[in-house]
Amino acid sequence: MTTKKLLILAGDGIGPEVMAQVQRVIDWMAKKRRITFDVSEGLVGGCSYDKYGTPLTDQTMQQAIDADAVLLGAVGGPKWDNLPFADKPERGLLRLRKDMKLFANLRPAFVFDALAEASSLKTDLVKGLDIMIVRELTGGVYFGEPRGIETLPNGERRGVNTQVYTTHEIVRIADVAFELAAKRGKKVHSVEKANVMESGVLWREEVQKLHDAKYPGIALEHMYADNCAMQLVRRPKQFDVIVTDNLFGDLLSDCAAMLTGSLGMLPSASLGAADAAGNRKALYEPVHGSAPDIAGKDLANPLATLLSFGMMLRYSFGMTAEADLLDTAVKNVLDGGLRTADIMQPGKAKVSTTVMGESIVRELDKLGG
Ligand code: IPM
Ligand code: MG
């Protein structure tokens, strides 16, 4: 097997601390499973701006394109809040998504049994919850033209954004969703607003066509986005895979994430199209942000980043056994009662970022050393 090129962009805030725990797992894999990665590191976000005057240098962008996978920590913080739009830390992340053509954003929302009580919903509504949101990431109103703010002849101002999708954009994201569903609960909810938007009508027709031609074995339901938001908090376990556009996906994934009780637990993957050899450009990152208020204090929860690394093993490298091992280690450590501050519950043991990382490695030793 050729060595996989992994680019680590730890970023700002708690990014470096949580990423240090991934490094422990990487070291463990080298030692105990003889799996080595060709790891390089770079800067993204505010730290890159401080050093180079830009949230992402062309060189780092190229490194990301050349890597087999990118693992990102978090970007942003109050220090950079007042920068001009083009220099803001978030622009580094948006450029990575756009220039790597990462059209498929996978946002799983699952509830560990040990944490079911941390949800704001009743425990029995969320216990065992396992949803995969597939968000289109490079199209729709985020990038549609025309866009802008103009002043009309009468002096009034007018702001414009365009919701636009072409058939190939819809088909390729729906294809990702059906493929995922085939390996999970075999159910897809396709979400749009076909009752008011032509782009939604097209979305619905194309998803249905793809389903009929290629995935008749998968149950497909169409749902309006507002209803989906309601159903997510009413009866979330009806969902397996949800496929939706960029903006609805942004909203619904936050809603679904909160069902699980802790943003500190959720990983994500952003994938590009498969090349001739079946490989996809890919970026993995925790759903949480840079949490500047607790940065540098060894308080952050490293599990979302560790689980993002697990998604990388699974989706980019086909290392299913190792990904399962890591997922199980996380589950066991939680079952054992260890908690970082964000998921602390009465009667459990509060531990630091470092101790959580060390505990995961010890659990890996027990499971698969
Ligand atoms: C997300 C975020 C981003 C988005 C922001 C930071 C640009 O909300 O990843 O969900 O809207 O896509
Ligand atoms: Mg968002």
Side-chain angles (χ1 to χ4, degrees):
M1 191 168 66
T2 55
T3 310
K4 302 292 187 190
K5 265 197 267 175
L6 167 56
L7 175 65
I8 292 188
L9 303 172
D12 306 320
I14 59 172
E17 303 163 62
V18 293
M19 202 58 84
Q21 311 314 312
V22 173
Q23 191 58 55
R24 287 180 205 281
V25 174
I26 291 177
D27 294 345
W28 182 88
M29 296 224 158
K31 216 166 84 191
K32 297 292 173 69
R33 314 276 293 191
R34 292 208 199 85
I35 293 172
T36 53
F37 298 96
D38 173 3
V39 180
S40 50
E41 290 181 61
L43 298 180
V44 66
C47 58
S48 172
Y49 178 80
D50 286 348
K51 183 143 183 218
Y52 302 115
T54 167
L56 187 72
T57 63
D58 292 343
Q59 197 204 344
T60 307
M61 187 63 241
Q62 193 56 48
Q63 263 182 292
I65 287 174
D66 294 340
D68 292 307
V70 178
L71 187 64
L72 188 137
V75 295
K79 183 175 173 197
W80 305 285
D81 273 354
N82 296 321
L83 290 176
F85 198 66
D87 293 335
K88 280 192 191 296
E90 291 78 5
R91 298 310 302 176
L93 175 58
L94 288 171
R95 181 171 176 207
L96 282 166
R97 286 178 182 169
K98 186 156 170 284
D99 288 10
M100 289 172 77
K101 302 190 172 67
L102 306 173
F103 69 90
N105 185 207
L106 277 43
R107 299 191 163 187
F110 51 84
V111 173
F112 288 91
D113 282 351
L115 299 179
E117 274 158 33
S119 173
S120 48
L121 292 198
K122 293 196 185 87
T123 308
D124 60 314
L125 276 187
V126 298
K127 196 156 186 172
L129 182 76
D130 181 5
I131 300 176
M132 177 67 84
I133 297 197
V134 179
R135 168 190 177 191
E136 201 289 326
L137 201 61
T138 51
V141 76
Y142 271 59
F143 298 98
E145 300 280 347
R147 63 186 296 162
I149 301 176
E150 61 182 349
T151 303
L152 301 174
N154 69 359
E156 203 176 23
R157 296 209 303 156
R158 183 168 176 263
V160 181
N161 288 92
T162 302
Q163 166 76 338
V164 53
Y165 274 104
T166 53
T167 48
H168 90 276
E169 290 178 298
I170 299 167
V171 171
R172 69 181 178 178
I173 191 71
D175 203 58
V176 170
F178 285 125
E179 290 291 337
L180 283 168
K183 295 184 203 138
R184 299 171 38 104
K186 303 198 168 33
K187 190 162 67 172
V188 170
H189 282 82
S190 172
V191 173
E192 26 60 11
K193 285 281 287 177
N195 50 346
V196 286
M197 297 162 78
E198 281 78 3
S199 59
V201 172
L202 183 72
W203 184 282
R204 186 173 279 226
E205 289 174 2
E206 291 301 323
V207 173
Q208 185 67 51
K209 251 196 264 175
L210 178 68
H211 169 269
D212 297 350
K214 203 170 158 195
Y215 301 101
I218 308 279
L220 170 64
E221 269 184 56
H222 302 280
M223 195 178 254
Y224 298 139
D226 52 347
N227 185 28
C228 182
M230 183 177 78
Q231 296 297 337
L232 272 173
V233 289
R234 176 176 173 262
R235 206 163 54 80
K237 281 192 258 181
Q238 69 187 283
F239 296 106
D240 175 28
V241 174
I242 294 174
V243 61
T244 189
D245 78 13
N246 205 343
L247 183 61
F248 294 143
D250 182 44
L251 307 178
L252 295 172
S253 64
D254 265 21
C255 178
M258 206 52 230
L259 296 174
T260 70
S262 175
L263 235 42
M265 295 299 304
L266 294 177
S268 76
S270 303
L271 308 175
D275 64 16
N279 298 318
R280 296 170 183 273
K281 298 241 170 292
L283 180 141
Y284 299 85
E285 55 177 319
V287 167
H288 64 67
S290 59
D293 51 321
I294 58 163
K297 296 185 181 158
D298 204 20
L299 286 174
N301 185 347
L303 296 179
T305 307
L306 285 165
L307 292 168
S308 299
F309 178 70
M311 285 186 91
M312 185 188 87
L313 298 176
R314 195 180 299 282
Y315 292 109
S316 280
F317 303 149
M319 297 174 183
T320 313
E322 284 72 23
D324 287 346
L325 210 61
L326 187 51
D327 289 354
T328 307
V330 171
K331 179 185 177 300
N332 290 357
V333 165
L334 291 172
D335 286 345
L338 297 195
R339 302 282 187 274
T340 42
D342 59 310
I343 52 174
M344 186 56 190
Q345 293 162 306
K348 305 297 179 190
K350 187 147 113 187
V351 299
S352 65
T353 310
T354 310
V355 171
M356 185 57 97
E358 288 168 351
S359 307
I360 296 292
V361 169
R362 248 198 317 278
E363 189 60 32
L364 286 171
D365 266 334
K366 270 194 235 163
L367 287 168

